[in-house]
Amino acid sequence: MNAITQTNTPGSRYIAGQMIVFILSCGYLAGCKALELEPITYQEAATQYQEGGSIENYRCALVPADEQYQALDDAQPIAVEIDEVLFVKVDGFVHELQQREINETLTAYALEDMSAALTTVSQFNQSEYNESDDRHVDLIFESAGQTATYKTFGAACGL
């Protein structure tokens, strides 16, 4: 007898069947895929913003950072703020989330089933006339019932 015949019990067939169903469902459903923001360049966001007829007054490109908010080596932005719009890229598409709320430390954005909350942890290296600064920002992004949290670094955020 071979090993397959010896272990082919009703219980093992049930488990194998459940595993096949899970694997197939993950192939067809986005729920098995981890939510992840893709790199987006400032130029991508600015071009899309300007194509809508807008002229930017404020910008901040947020780069993934480590636990101490130091930008990761060779990291590309995962979110770009331009005025009241947050640009993110998910599944190859650039999305424009509109600002819904803003206060001293929190800026909230939303678009359909997507939302983002940016919490400014610290601001430093302010320019001479306080036009821009560097900042450490916690980014919480939600889409289709999934949540992703990032520590980010924003350089020269402002005018």
Side-chain angles (χ1 to χ4, degrees):
M1 243 191 255
N2 64 35
I4 294 174
T5 309
Q6 291 175 347
T7 60
N8 197 4
T9 64
S12 66
R13 280 183 286 193
Y14 175 78
I15 293 170
Q18 293 294 345
M19 289 177 62
I20 290 170
V21 168
F22 176 75
I23 291 167
L24 290 175
S25 66
C26 284
Y28 294 108
L29 299 175
C32 295
K33 182 180 171 189
L35 177 64
E36 187 174 326
L37 292 176
E38 299 167 14
I40 180 172
T41 65
Y42 166 75
Q43 193 58 50
E44 279 179 286
T47 299
Q48 188 164 321
Y49 189 70
Q50 291 164 356
E51 285 174 355
S54 299
I55 299 170
E56 71 180 84
N57 293 308
Y58 170 86
R59 68 172 176 223
C60 188
L62 298 171
V63 176
D66 63 18
E67 290 297 315
Q68 288 75 41
Y69 295 95
Q70 299 300 311
L72 300 177
D73 292 337
D74 301 321
Q76 297 297 313
I78 55 170
V80 176
E81 284 182 284
I82 300 179
D83 297 332
E84 291 89 27
V85 181
L86 181 69
F87 294 86
V88 295
K89 188 185 284 187
V90 178
D91 294 331
F93 294 99
V94 176
H95 302 276
E96 297 181 32
L97 284 70
Q98 301 299 312
Q99 190 176 91
R100 300 290 187 230
E101 178 184 342
I102 187 169
N103 64 39
E104 288 290 319
T105 59
L106 174 74
T107 307
Y109 294 91
L111 172 71
E112 298 169 357
D113 70 338
M114 294 181 192
S115 65
L118 305 180
T119 303
T120 302
V121 176
S122 63
Q123 293 175 271
F124 51 97
N125 292 338
Q126 292 185 334
S127 66
E128 182 178 357
Y129 298 105
N130 291 327
E131 296 168 332
S132 66
D133 57 55
D134 294 342
R135 56 186 62 181
H136 298 152
V137 178
D138 288 337
L139 165 59
I140 299 172
F141 180 74
E142 296 182 23
S143 180
Q146 293 185 315
T147 302
T149 303
Y150 301 89
K151 289 189 181 301
T152 65
F153 173 76
C157 295
L159 300 177

